[in-house]
Amino acid sequence: MRTLFIDLGHSTKFPGASGFKAETLWNRSVWLRLAGMLDPKKWIVVLVPDDFGWKDLRSSNMNLINRIRFINSRCKDGDWVLSIHGNAAINPAVRGVTTCYMGGSEYMRQKALGLSRAYAKAAGVPIWGGGAFDDRTGRFGRIGMVRDTRPPALLIEAGFVTNKQDMSIDATTAAKGIAAWFNAL
């Protein structure tokens, strides 16, 4: 059995983007449905904590470091990491799904593209930005969750929280695409 570590990307202290829905609420609503859709014969599902003693956390970076340490201290060969997010744009017409992966790995680029396609098919949203986002091209630098975890990791931007159509998708429908991809892995 493999473990799928699911990271919700943000916490109530560091909530992420907001728009038609708050990113932290969107991530959690997808997670709540996803957990029960993953094949229990294939996956042990572990929710990564997002509150490592808030009084000691001064930044979202420290929160990220603690989440990565949590995963790395518990993982084994064959495990995976999924970080669920919602994207944001100034233009509310921008919509779609993309999945971030550790740049430089063609294997992970293909996995990212596959996850985006499965999500798009289930949720009926377009693929944005080609469907696979190389973490080396991010405006804030490399993405720690896909770069620093020992197991392979994908960070799905499951629609734009700033787009009304993307946020009108039922979280169960969104979770079905993610579950279908991981269950086929």
Side-chain angles (χ1 to χ4, degrees), residues 114-129:
L115 179 56
S116 288
R117 286 178 177 157
Y119 183 90
K121 181 179 177 183
V125 301
I127 298 234
W128 179 79

Side-chain angles (χ1 to χ4, degrees), residues 12-176:
T12 52
K13 183 169 182 172
F14 306 108
S18 62
F20 289 96
K21 289 186 182 173
E23 183 177 0
T24 188
L25 296 176
W26 175 239
N27 301 351
R28 278 155 179 71
S29 64
V30 173
W31 146 252
L32 287 171
R33 278 90 177 162
L34 175 62
M37 294 179 188
L38 293 163
D39 185 345
K41 294 177 183 170
K42 286 187 171 191
W43 296 106
I44 298 167
V45 179
V46 173
L47 180 63
V48 178
D50 62 8
D51 61 349
F52 292 91
W54 285 356
K55 293 176 185 168
D56 298 331
L57 292 177
R58 294 182 185 90
S59 72
S60 60
N61 282 340
M62 195 64 218
N63 185 287
L64 173 64
I65 290 166
N66 285 331
R67 294 186 341 256
I68 291 168
R69 286 178 180 160
F70 175 89
I71 294 165
N72 288 344
S73 69
R74 290 161 175 79
C75 67
K76 62 187 180 317
D77 288 345
D79 292 347
W80 277 77
V81 176
L82 170 67
S83 190
I84 304 171
H85 288 259
N87 216 335
I90 294 170
N91 180 350
V94 177
R95 65 182 302 235
V97 59
T98 195
T99 303
C100 304
Y101 67 97
M102 186 172 82
S105 170
E106 178 59 21
Y107 173 80
M108 290 306 293
R109 188 185 78 76
Q110 289 297 324
K111 298 299 182 194
L113 187 55
L115 179 56
S116 288
R117 286 178 177 157
Y119 183 90
K121 181 179 177 183
V125 301
I127 298 234
W128 179 79
F133 184 82
D134 182 326
D135 86 308
R136 296 175 297 182
T137 62
R139 67 180 173 149
F140 297 114
R142 302 216 47 194
I143 300 170
M145 190 54 69
V146 300
R147 179 193 64 221
D148 297 334
T149 53
R150 287 189 194 126
L154 295 173
L155 185 153
I156 188 167
E157 295 282 3
F160 280 76
V161 297
T162 51
N163 181 277
K164 189 174 184 175
Q165 284 180 281
D166 281 2
M167 291 299 102
S168 68
I169 294 163
D170 180 69
T172 300
T173 302
K176 282 180 183 177

